[in-house]
Structure formats: C-alpha cells, structure tokens
Amino acid sequence: MVNDPRQVLQRLCAERGEDFAGLSRMLGRNPAYIQQYVRRGVPRRLGEDERRKLARYFAVPETLLGASPEDETAANGLLSVKRHPVAASAGPGAIVTEELGKPYFAFDQRWLKALTPSSPMNLSIIRVEGDSMAPTLNAGDDILVDLGDSRDRLRDGIYVLRIDDALVVKRIALNPIGGRFTVQSDNPAYPDWPDCGLGDIQPIGRVIWSGRRIV
C-alpha cells in the first residue's frame, strides 16, 4: 500500500507530540502552512527543500513524504539507473520477464560520469542468465548496459545483442579488415560465431559494469 504523505506527516506529529504551527515556523512558513497542506491539500506537494527538512527532522526517508526514489538518491549525490525486468542470456538465448525486485540501482554521480558520458536515461541494469560468458559473467549477475554505446560505435568488448527474438550477452571481436566480427563466448564449452555482420545481429548496448553476489 502506498503511503499518503499527508497521513504520514499527521501520524508523525501525533506520535512525536509536534504541532502543525511549530513545523510551519521551522520551515519559514506562516503558522497555518502545514495544517493547510494536511487538511486542505494546499499545496498539492511539499517543496523539495521543505520535504527534505521534514524528513531530516523526523529521521524518515523522503519517499514517505512524497519524494520518488530518484529524487531521494539525487539529493544524496547519487544517480539512479532503472533495473528492467528482462534478462540477457549467456546461454541458449531467451527473454526472461520475471520481476527482479527493486526497479533501480543508485550510483555515485562522479563515479558513473567517469565510467560513461551517457545520461542515466540511456543506461539499464539487466540480469545475466546462463553460463556461456563464465567466468567473466555468471548467471544471476547484474550488468550495467550503455544503450547509447552500441551499433554506431561497435568495437571489441562485451555487448547485449538481440538475435531473432532473444537477448544475449556476448563478446565482440572485430576483424580489422572488412568490418566483419566474431561473436564469442568466454566459456570455451560454447562455440564462437565467426564472420558475422551487422545484418546478423542487433547491438542493444555495451556492457560497462557488472555486479554479483559472492557465495
């Protein structure tokens, strides 16, 4: 159930013995400001600075007071990247549409910008399935895919590719002569696909980071 920020604020005041007028003055507003917000719905949303001050005052997440997860991570110097409910196969090839839990990952802004110039809107977190890219990538790994770095900049590296109706993650090795390339698996148990052209595959994005659970 989604919390109503007005109900949350009213409950916090009741539990901690705060009054609307005192909170309004803390925010530099007229004494009726919080009461009007809670009881009359004016304003419709708390301002960003006001929401942050109230969240810190009550020591609660800003999301309880109406912030989106992206707003909260940005306020903490983080950039959010969506985690999509699909998986790139490092095996026979399949599209998996299971729910993957949290809808985003948060990365430090400076770290992410040093990794890629692409906007977070052009980045995606997806999950690896299968073992054809082991030991580089294992089943269950989350990979950060730069969707802005694909067909026009294709070069040696690991990419998510669409082949027929499947998403696969493979290594690309370009042939310096003729613009052809080999699609490789890091696991030697799987065969390579030599002498491919762009008409054979559709590059989705370059894999620029991976994260995994240590077991």
Side-chain angles (χ1 to χ4, degrees):
M1 179 177 178
V2 178
N3 287 306
D4 182 333
R6 292 178 175 80
Q7 294 178 4
V8 169
L9 190 53
Q10 188 169 18
R11 185 176 69 247
L12 288 170
C13 287
E15 291 173 351
R16 306 189 190 186
E18 300 290 346
D19 64 87
F20 294 158
L23 290 180
S24 298
R25 286 191 289 268
M26 181 193 72
L27 297 175
R29 293 285 192 166
N30 71 76
Y33 178 76
I34 292 296
Q35 181 174 335
Q36 290 176 338
Y37 168 72
V38 171
R39 301 277 171 78
R40 298 174 55 189
V42 179
R44 292 181 58 191
R45 290 172 55 89
L46 291 168
E48 183 178 334
D49 290 341
E50 296 159 347
R51 185 183 65 221
R52 188 168 301 128
K53 287 179 182 178
L54 288 169
R56 289 175 179 172
Y57 183 78
F58 287 112
V60 298
E62 282 189 55
T63 49
L64 288 181
L65 299 176
S68 68
E70 290 84 356
D71 290 337
E72 188 163 32
T73 54
N76 292 317
L78 302 174
L79 293 174
S80 61
V81 175
K82 288 185 178 180
R83 188 185 193 195
H84 288 91
V86 298
S89 175
I95 296 178
V96 181
T97 57
E98 61 180 316
E99 280 298 326
L100 298 183
K102 288 187 177 181
Y104 70 97
F105 275 31
F107 295 93
D108 178 80
Q109 291 187 46
R110 289 175 294 181
W111 180 88
L112 190 59
K113 288 180 179 178
L115 190 64
T116 174
S118 292
S119 161
M121 297 296 292
N122 282 331
L123 303 175
S124 180
I125 293 282
I126 61 177
R127 178 169 293 173
V128 174
E129 298 290 344
D131 64 352
S132 76
M133 286 299 291
T136 308
L137 299 174
N138 295 319
D141 288 355
D142 287 300
I143 54 176
L144 178 60
V145 183
D146 188 344
L147 306 177
D149 188 353
S150 56
R151 189 183 189 94
D152 294 339
R153 300 174 57 193
L154 195 67
R155 58 200 185 279
D156 289 356
I158 299 175
Y159 287 82
V160 172
L161 312 171
R162 186 182 297 278
I163 301 177
D164 296 327
D165 291 326
L167 290 181
V168 299
V169 56
K170 297 291 182 182
R171 186 178 298 278
I172 294 292
L174 288 181
N175 186 330
I177 301 175
R180 308 289 286 180
F181 53 86
T182 298
V183 178
Q184 300 175 326
S185 298
D186 284 5
N187 185 339
Y190 288 79
D192 294 340
W193 306 337
D195 195 31
C196 295
L198 282 177
D200 302 314
I201 63 170
Q202 178 185 350
I204 300 299
R206 185 179 178 90
V207 178
I208 58 175
W209 175 89
S210 69
R212 69 179 50 163
R213 179 183 178 185
I214 302 298
V215 294

PDB file of all heavy atoms in Angstrom, residues 5-6 9 27 29 33-34 37 42-56 62 65-68 71 75:
ATOM      1  N   PRO A   5       1.499  11.014   1.818  1.00  0.00           N
ATOM      2  CA  PRO A   5       2.399  11.875   2.592  1.00  0.00           C
ATOM      3  C   PRO A   5       1.676  12.701   3.651  1.00  0.00           C
ATOM      4  O   PRO A   5       2.232  12.953   4.730  1.00  0.00           O
ATOM      5  CB  PRO A   5       3.021  12.775   1.520  1.00  0.00           C
ATOM      6  CG  PRO A   5       2.923  11.994   0.255  1.00  0.00           C
ATOM      7  CD  PRO A   5       1.653  11.208   0.367  1.00  0.00           C
ATOM      8  N   ARG A   6       0.439  13.106   3.385  1.00  0.00           N
ATOM      9  CA  ARG A   6      -0.306  13.899   4.375  1.00  0.00           C
ATOM     10  C   ARG A   6      -0.625  13.058   5.615  1.00  0.00           C
ATOM     11  O   ARG A   6      -0.486  13.519   6.747  1.00  0.00           O
ATOM     12  CB  ARG A   6      -1.584  14.462   3.751  1.00  0.00           C
ATOM     13  CG  ARG A   6      -1.317  15.514   2.693  1.00  0.00           C
ATOM     14  CD  ARG A   6      -2.605  16.013   2.048  1.00  0.00           C
ATOM     15  NE  ARG A   6      -2.322  17.099   1.137  1.00  0.00           N
ATOM     16  CZ  ARG A   6      -1.860  16.955  -0.102  1.00  0.00           C
ATOM     17  NH1 ARG A   6      -1.653  15.728  -0.577  1.00  0.00           N
ATOM     18  NH2 ARG A   6      -1.601  17.996  -0.863  1.00  0.00           N
ATOM     19  N   LEU A   9       2.607  12.530   7.586  1.00  0.00           N
ATOM     20  CA  LEU A   9       3.001  13.706   8.358  1.00  0.00           C
ATOM     21  C   LEU A   9       2.095  13.888   9.577  1.00  0.00           C
ATOM     22  O   LEU A   9       2.564  14.196  10.684  1.00  0.00           O
ATOM     23  CB  LEU A   9       2.955  14.942   7.455  1.00  0.00           C
ATOM     24  CG  LEU A   9       3.567  16.229   8.015  1.00  0.00           C
ATOM     25  CD1 LEU A   9       5.002  16.003   8.491  1.00  0.00           C
ATOM     26  CD2 LEU A   9       3.539  17.321   6.952  1.00  0.00           C
ATOM     27  N   LEU A  27       9.930  25.667   8.970  1.00  0.00           N
ATOM     28  CA  LEU A  27      10.133  25.744   7.520  1.00  0.00           C
ATOM     29  C   LEU A  27      10.178  27.174   7.005  1.00  0.00           C
ATOM     30  O   LEU A  27      10.380  27.390   5.807  1.00  0.00           O
ATOM     31  CB  LEU A  27       9.011  24.982   6.803  1.00  0.00           C
ATOM     32  CG  LEU A  27       8.918  23.477   7.074  1.00  0.00           C
ATOM     33  CD1 LEU A  27       7.697  22.889   6.389  1.00  0.00           C
ATOM     34  CD2 LEU A  27      10.184  22.750   6.629  1.00  0.00           C
ATOM     35  N   ARG A  29       7.603  29.226   7.113  1.00  0.00           N
ATOM     36  CA  ARG A  29       6.301  29.491   6.514  1.00  0.00           C
ATOM     37  C   ARG A  29       5.355  30.076   7.551  1.00  0.00           C
ATOM     38  O   ARG A  29       5.644  30.102   8.751  1.00  0.00           O
ATOM     39  CB  ARG A  29       5.709  28.180   5.976  1.00  0.00           C
ATOM     40  CG  ARG A  29       6.471  27.587   4.811  1.00  0.00           C
ATOM     41  CD  ARG A  29       6.214  28.356   3.546  1.00  0.00           C
ATOM     42  NE  ARG A  29       6.700  27.676   2.363  1.00  0.00           N
ATOM     43  CZ  ARG A  29       6.367  28.021   1.129  1.00  0.00           C
ATOM     44  NH1 ARG A  29       5.534  29.038   0.922  1.00  0.00           N
ATOM     45  NH2 ARG A  29       6.859  27.372   0.089  1.00  0.00           N
ATOM     46  N   TYR A  33       0.600  26.862   7.421  1.00  0.00           N
ATOM     47  CA  TYR A  33       1.044  26.210   6.184  1.00  0.00           C
ATOM     48  C   TYR A  33       0.874  24.686   6.234  1.00  0.00           C
ATOM     49  O   TYR A  33       0.263  24.087   5.341  1.00  0.00           O
ATOM     50  CB  TYR A  33       2.507  26.568   5.913  1.00  0.00           C
ATOM     51  CG  TYR A  33       3.082  25.909   4.696  1.00  0.00           C
ATOM     52  CD1 TYR A  33       2.759  26.361   3.418  1.00  0.00           C
ATOM     53  CD2 TYR A  33       3.954  24.817   4.799  1.00  0.00           C
ATOM     54  CE1 TYR A  33       3.290  25.758   2.279  1.00  0.00           C
ATOM     55  CE2 TYR A  33       4.480  24.213   3.676  1.00  0.00           C
ATOM     56  CZ  TYR A  33       4.142  24.686   2.420  1.00  0.00           C
ATOM     57  OH  TYR A  33       4.663  24.082   1.309  1.00  0.00           O
ATOM     58  N   ILE A  34       1.411  24.023   7.260  1.00  0.00           N
ATOM     59  CA  ILE A  34       1.337  22.565   7.338  1.00  0.00           C
ATOM     60  C   ILE A  34      -0.109  22.105   7.540  1.00  0.00           C
ATOM     61  O   ILE A  34      -0.544  21.102   6.956  1.00  0.00           O
ATOM     62  CB  ILE A  34       2.231  22.024   8.462  1.00  0.00           C
ATOM     63  CG1 ILE A  34       3.709  22.245   8.115  1.00  0.00           C
ATOM     64  CG2 ILE A  34       1.974  20.543   8.712  1.00  0.00           C
ATOM     65  CD1 ILE A  34       4.186  21.489   6.895  1.00  0.00           C
ATOM     66  N   TYR A  37      -1.750  22.150   4.264  1.00  0.00           N
ATOM     67  CA  TYR A  37      -1.249  21.055   3.421  1.00  0.00           C
ATOM     68  C   TYR A  37      -1.919  19.741   3.816  1.00  0.00           C
ATOM     69  O   TYR A  37      -2.387  18.981   2.951  1.00  0.00           O
ATOM     70  CB  TYR A  37       0.269  20.945   3.560  1.00  0.00           C
ATOM     71  CG  TYR A  37       0.837  19.683   2.956  1.00  0.00           C
ATOM     72  CD1 TYR A  37       0.890  19.510   1.570  1.00  0.00           C
ATOM     73  CD2 TYR A  37       1.309  18.648   3.771  1.00  0.00           C
ATOM     74  CE1 TYR A  37       1.386  18.348   1.014  1.00  0.00           C
ATOM     75  CE2 TYR A  37       1.813  17.482   3.218  1.00  0.00           C
ATOM     76  CZ  TYR A  37       1.850  17.336   1.845  1.00  0.00           C
ATOM     77  OH  TYR A  37       2.343  16.182   1.288  1.00  0.00           O
ATOM     78  N   VAL A  42      -3.427  21.892   0.239  1.00  0.00           N
ATOM     79  CA  VAL A  42      -2.793  23.063  -0.379  1.00  0.00           C
ATOM     80  C   VAL A  42      -1.497  23.364   0.381  1.00  0.00           C
ATOM     81  O   VAL A  42      -1.533  23.599   1.591  1.00  0.00           O
ATOM     82  CB  VAL A  42      -3.726  24.292  -0.311  1.00  0.00           C
ATOM     83  CG1 VAL A  42      -3.027  25.502  -0.947  1.00  0.00           C
ATOM     84  CG2 VAL A  42      -5.040  24.007  -1.021  1.00  0.00           C
ATOM     85  N   PRO A  43      -0.340  23.263  -0.295  1.00  0.00           N
ATOM     86  CA  PRO A  43      -0.122  22.916  -1.708  1.00  0.00           C
ATOM     87  C   PRO A  43      -0.338  21.428  -1.951  1.00  0.00           C
ATOM     88  O   PRO A  43      -0.425  20.638  -1.012  1.00  0.00           O
ATOM     89  CB  PRO A  43       1.340  23.301  -1.925  1.00  0.00           C
ATOM     90  CG  PRO A  43       1.980  23.086  -0.593  1.00  0.00           C
ATOM     91  CD  PRO A  43       0.948  23.502   0.420  1.00  0.00           C
ATOM     92  N   ARG A  44      -0.390  21.051  -3.223  1.00  0.00           N
ATOM     93  CA  ARG A  44      -0.615  19.642  -3.548  1.00  0.00           C
ATOM     94  C   ARG A  44       0.574  18.783  -3.142  1.00  0.00           C
ATOM     95  O   ARG A  44       0.405  17.641  -2.737  1.00  0.00           O
ATOM     96  CB  ARG A  44      -0.880  19.485  -5.046  1.00  0.00           C
ATOM     97  CG  ARG A  44      -2.201  20.088  -5.511  1.00  0.00           C
ATOM     98  CD  ARG A  44      -2.399  19.878  -6.994  1.00  0.00           C
ATOM     99  NE  ARG A  44      -2.369  18.458  -7.351  1.00  0.00           N
ATOM    100  CZ  ARG A  44      -2.309  17.992  -8.594  1.00  0.00           C
ATOM    101  NH1 ARG A  44      -2.253  18.850  -9.610  1.00  0.00           N
ATOM    102  NH2 ARG A  44      -2.312  16.699  -8.832  1.00  0.00           N
ATOM    103  N   ARG A  45       1.777  19.334  -3.286  1.00  0.00           N
ATOM    104  CA  ARG A  45       3.005  18.626  -2.912  1.00  0.00           C
ATOM    105  C   ARG A  45       3.902  19.550  -2.108  1.00  0.00           C
ATOM    106  O   ARG A  45       3.933  20.762  -2.359  1.00  0.00           O
ATOM    107  CB  ARG A  45       3.770  18.151  -4.160  1.00  0.00           C
ATOM    108  CG  ARG A  45       3.109  17.040  -4.925  1.00  0.00           C
ATOM    109  CD  ARG A  45       3.849  16.774  -6.235  1.00  0.00           C
ATOM    110  NE  ARG A  45       5.258  16.499  -6.039  1.00  0.00           N
ATOM    111  CZ  ARG A  45       5.760  15.280  -5.830  1.00  0.00           C
ATOM    112  NH1 ARG A  45       4.955  14.240  -5.805  1.00  0.00           N
ATOM    113  NH2 ARG A  45       7.051  15.099  -5.670  1.00  0.00           N
ATOM    114  N   LEU A  46       4.624  18.990  -1.170  1.00  0.00           N
ATOM    115  CA  LEU A  46       5.629  19.761  -0.451  1.00  0.00           C
ATOM    116  C   LEU A  46       6.764  20.121  -1.401  1.00  0.00           C
ATOM    117  O   LEU A  46       7.128  19.339  -2.293  1.00  0.00           O
ATOM    118  CB  LEU A  46       6.193  18.953   0.716  1.00  0.00           C
ATOM    119  CG  LEU A  46       5.249  18.684   1.894  1.00  0.00           C
ATOM    120  CD1 LEU A  46       5.866  17.641   2.821  1.00  0.00           C
ATOM    121  CD2 LEU A  46       4.955  19.973   2.649  1.00  0.00           C
ATOM    122  N   GLY A  47       7.326  21.309  -1.195  1.00  0.00           N
ATOM    123  CA  GLY A  47       8.502  21.679  -1.967  1.00  0.00           C
ATOM    124  C   GLY A  47       9.681  20.794  -1.611  1.00  0.00           C
ATOM    125  O   GLY A  47       9.732  20.198  -0.527  1.00  0.00           O
ATOM    126  N   GLU A  48      10.653  20.716  -2.509  1.00  0.00           N
ATOM    127  CA  GLU A  48      11.797  19.825  -2.304  1.00  0.00           C
ATOM    128  C   GLU A  48      12.548  20.151  -1.016  1.00  0.00           C
ATOM    129  O   GLU A  48      12.874  19.255  -0.231  1.00  0.00           O
ATOM    130  CB  GLU A  48      12.739  19.923  -3.508  1.00  0.00           C
ATOM    131  CG  GLU A  48      13.927  18.989  -3.446  1.00  0.00           C
ATOM    132  CD  GLU A  48      14.791  19.089  -4.694  1.00  0.00           C
ATOM    133  OE1 GLU A  48      14.264  19.453  -5.761  1.00  0.00           O
ATOM    134  OE2 GLU A  48      15.998  18.808  -4.590  1.00  0.00           O
ATOM    135  N   ASP A  49      12.836  21.446  -0.786  1.00  0.00           N
ATOM    136  CA  ASP A  49      13.566  21.843   0.420  1.00  0.00           C
ATOM    137  C   ASP A  49      12.752  21.551   1.673  1.00  0.00           C
ATOM    138  O   ASP A  49      13.296  21.087   2.686  1.00  0.00           O
ATOM    139  CB  ASP A  49      13.929  23.326   0.365  1.00  0.00           C
ATOM    140  CG  ASP A  49      15.004  23.627  -0.676  1.00  0.00           C
ATOM    141  OD1 ASP A  49      15.713  22.677  -1.079  1.00  0.00           O
ATOM    142  OD2 ASP A  49      15.127  24.791  -1.082  1.00  0.00           O
ATOM    143  N   GLU A  50      11.453  21.820   1.624  1.00  0.00           N
ATOM    144  CA  GLU A  50      10.600  21.583   2.791  1.00  0.00           C
ATOM    145  C   GLU A  50      10.507  20.098   3.099  1.00  0.00           C
ATOM    146  O   GLU A  50      10.581  19.674   4.265  1.00  0.00           O
ATOM    147  CB  GLU A  50       9.205  22.172   2.525  1.00  0.00           C
ATOM    148  CG  GLU A  50       9.218  23.684   2.366  1.00  0.00           C
ATOM    149  CD  GLU A  50       8.006  24.192   1.614  1.00  0.00           C
ATOM    150  OE1 GLU A  50       7.297  23.369   1.003  1.00  0.00           O
ATOM    151  OE2 GLU A  50       7.777  25.412   1.640  1.00  0.00           O
ATOM    152  N   ARG A  51      10.342  19.307   2.063  1.00  0.00           N
ATOM    153  CA  ARG A  51      10.260  17.853   2.239  1.00  0.00           C
ATOM    154  C   ARG A  51      11.540  17.313   2.859  1.00  0.00           C
ATOM    155  O   ARG A  51      11.516  16.482   3.771  1.00  0.00           O
ATOM    156  CB  ARG A  51      10.010  17.203   0.882  1.00  0.00           C
ATOM    157  CG  ARG A  51       9.789  15.701   0.920  1.00  0.00           C
ATOM    158  CD  ARG A  51       9.623  15.175  -0.492  1.00  0.00           C
ATOM    159  NE  ARG A  51      10.840  15.338  -1.276  1.00  0.00           N
ATOM    160  CZ  ARG A  51      10.871  15.724  -2.538  1.00  0.00           C
ATOM    161  NH1 ARG A  51       9.765  16.009  -3.190  1.00  0.00           N
ATOM    162  NH2 ARG A  51      12.027  15.836  -3.180  1.00  0.00           N
ATOM    163  N   ARG A  52      12.687  17.826   2.389  1.00  0.00           N
ATOM    164  CA  ARG A  52      13.970  17.349   2.913  1.00  0.00           C
ATOM    165  C   ARG A  52      14.146  17.739   4.375  1.00  0.00           C
ATOM    166  O   ARG A  52      14.609  16.933   5.193  1.00  0.00           O
ATOM    167  CB  ARG A  52      15.112  17.922   2.069  1.00  0.00           C
ATOM    168  CG  ARG A  52      16.474  17.343   2.398  1.00  0.00           C
ATOM    169  CD  ARG A  52      17.500  17.732   1.350  1.00  0.00           C
ATOM    170  NE  ARG A  52      17.092  17.254   0.047  1.00  0.00           N
ATOM    171  CZ  ARG A  52      17.019  18.027  -1.042  1.00  0.00           C
ATOM    172  NH1 ARG A  52      17.312  19.306  -0.979  1.00  0.00           N
ATOM    173  NH2 ARG A  52      16.640  17.510  -2.188  1.00  0.00           N
ATOM    174  N   LYS A  53      13.774  18.970   4.719  1.00  0.00           N
ATOM    175  CA  LYS A  53      13.889  19.407   6.111  1.00  0.00           C
ATOM    176  C   LYS A  53      13.015  18.573   7.031  1.00  0.00           C
ATOM    177  O   LYS A  53      13.438  18.173   8.131  1.00  0.00           O
ATOM    178  CB  LYS A  53      13.501  20.891   6.232  1.00  0.00           C
ATOM    179  CG  LYS A  53      14.525  21.858   5.663  1.00  0.00           C
ATOM    180  CD  LYS A  53      14.038  23.296   5.804  1.00  0.00           C
ATOM    181  CE  LYS A  53      15.036  24.279   5.203  1.00  0.00           C
ATOM    182  NZ  LYS A  53      14.527  25.688   5.301  1.00  0.00           N
ATOM    183  N   LEU A  54      11.792  18.291   6.611  1.00  0.00           N
ATOM    184  CA  LEU A  54      10.885  17.499   7.437  1.00  0.00           C
ATOM    185  C   LEU A  54      11.383  16.063   7.580  1.00  0.00           C
ATOM    186  O   LEU A  54      11.294  15.466   8.658  1.00  0.00           O
ATOM    187  CB  LEU A  54       9.476  17.515   6.837  1.00  0.00           C
ATOM    188  CG  LEU A  54       8.718  18.844   6.958  1.00  0.00           C
ATOM    189  CD1 LEU A  54       7.458  18.816   6.101  1.00  0.00           C
ATOM    190  CD2 LEU A  54       8.360  19.135   8.418  1.00  0.00           C
ATOM    191  N   ALA A  55      11.918  15.505   6.484  1.00  0.00           N
ATOM    192  CA  ALA A  55      12.433  14.138   6.548  1.00  0.00           C
ATOM    193  C   ALA A  55      13.603  14.050   7.514  1.00  0.00           C
ATOM    194  O   ALA A  55      13.706  13.093   8.298  1.00  0.00           O
ATOM    195  CB  ALA A  55      12.842  13.665   5.154  1.00  0.00           C
ATOM    196  N   ARG A  56      14.478  15.048   7.486  1.00  0.00           N
ATOM    197  CA  ARG A  56      15.614  15.044   8.405  1.00  0.00           C
ATOM    198  C   ARG A  56      15.163  15.277   9.839  1.00  0.00           C
ATOM    199  O   ARG A  56      15.693  14.671  10.773  1.00  0.00           O
ATOM    200  CB  ARG A  56      16.619  16.115   7.978  1.00  0.00           C
ATOM    201  CG  ARG A  56      17.360  15.766   6.679  1.00  0.00           C
ATOM    202  CD  ARG A  56      18.248  16.893   6.205  1.00  0.00           C
ATOM    203  NE  ARG A  56      18.971  16.527   4.983  1.00  0.00           N
ATOM    204  CZ  ARG A  56      19.703  17.376   4.272  1.00  0.00           C
ATOM    205  NH1 ARG A  56      19.818  18.651   4.659  1.00  0.00           N
ATOM    206  NH2 ARG A  56      20.326  16.961   3.184  1.00  0.00           N
ATOM    207  N   GLU A  62      12.690  10.376   2.676  1.00  0.00           N
ATOM    208  CA  GLU A  62      11.906  11.388   1.956  1.00  0.00           C
ATOM    209  C   GLU A  62      10.774  10.765   1.156  1.00  0.00           C
ATOM    210  O   GLU A  62       9.767  11.423   0.879  1.00  0.00           O
ATOM    211  CB  GLU A  62      12.802  12.197   1.013  1.00  0.00           C
ATOM    212  CG  GLU A  62      13.629  13.258   1.699  1.00  0.00           C
ATOM    213  CD  GLU A  62      14.320  14.157   0.690  1.00  0.00           C
ATOM    214  OE1 GLU A  62      13.617  14.734  -0.179  1.00  0.00           O
ATOM    215  OE2 GLU A  62      15.552  14.268   0.754  1.00  0.00           O
ATOM    216  N   LEU A  65       7.368  11.114   2.418  1.00  0.00           N
ATOM    217  CA  LEU A  65       6.760  12.439   2.329  1.00  0.00           C
ATOM    218  C   LEU A  65       6.553  12.889   0.893  1.00  0.00           C
ATOM    219  O   LEU A  65       6.362  14.072   0.633  1.00  0.00           O
ATOM    220  CB  LEU A  65       7.621  13.462   3.087  1.00  0.00           C
ATOM    221  CG  LEU A  65       7.791  13.182   4.587  1.00  0.00           C
ATOM    222  CD1 LEU A  65       8.729  14.204   5.220  1.00  0.00           C
ATOM    223  CD2 LEU A  65       6.445  13.195   5.296  1.00  0.00           C
ATOM    224  N   GLY A  66       6.592  11.937  -0.028  1.00  0.00           N
ATOM    225  CA  GLY A  66       6.220  12.257  -1.402  1.00  0.00           C
ATOM    226  C   GLY A  66       7.333  12.271  -2.417  1.00  0.00           C
ATOM    227  O   GLY A  66       7.080  12.500  -3.603  1.00  0.00           O
ATOM    228  N   ALA A  67       8.581  12.035  -1.994  1.00  0.00           N
ATOM    229  CA  ALA A  67       9.682  12.019  -2.960  1.00  0.00           C
ATOM    230  C   ALA A  67       9.687  10.700  -3.711  1.00  0.00           C
ATOM    231  O   ALA A  67       9.327   9.651  -3.164  1.00  0.00           O
ATOM    232  CB  ALA A  67      11.013  12.219  -2.247  1.00  0.00           C
ATOM    233  N   SER A  68      10.088  10.732  -4.962  1.00  0.00           N
ATOM    234  CA  SER A  68      10.312   9.495  -5.700  1.00  0.00           C
ATOM    235  C   SER A  68      11.674   8.951  -5.292  1.00  0.00           C
ATOM    236  O   SER A  68      12.519   9.686  -4.776  1.00  0.00           O
ATOM    237  CB  SER A  68      10.291   9.752  -7.210  1.00  0.00           C
ATOM    238  OG  SER A  68      11.409  10.535  -7.583  1.00  0.00           O
ATOM    239  N   ASP A  71      14.336  11.071  -6.777  1.00  0.00           N
ATOM    240  CA  ASP A  71      14.542  12.348  -6.089  1.00  0.00           C
ATOM    241  C   ASP A  71      15.444  12.165  -4.888  1.00  0.00           C
ATOM    242  O   ASP A  71      16.347  12.960  -4.637  1.00  0.00           O
ATOM    243  CB  ASP A  71      13.202  12.933  -5.620  1.00  0.00           C
ATOM    244  CG  ASP A  71      12.335  13.417  -6.755  1.00  0.00           C
ATOM    245  OD1 ASP A  71      12.883  13.713  -7.823  1.00  0.00           O
ATOM    246  OD2 ASP A  71      11.113  13.497  -6.576  1.00  0.00           O
ATOM    247  N   ALA A  75      19.326  13.651  -4.339  1.00  0.00           N
ATOM    248  CA  ALA A  75      19.617  14.558  -3.230  1.00  0.00           C
ATOM    249  C   ALA A  75      20.835  14.109  -2.449  1.00  0.00           C
ATOM    250  O   ALA A  75      21.494  14.922  -1.797  1.00  0.00           O
ATOM    251  CB  ALA A  75      18.410  14.649  -2.299  1.00  0.00           C
TER     252      ALA A  75
END
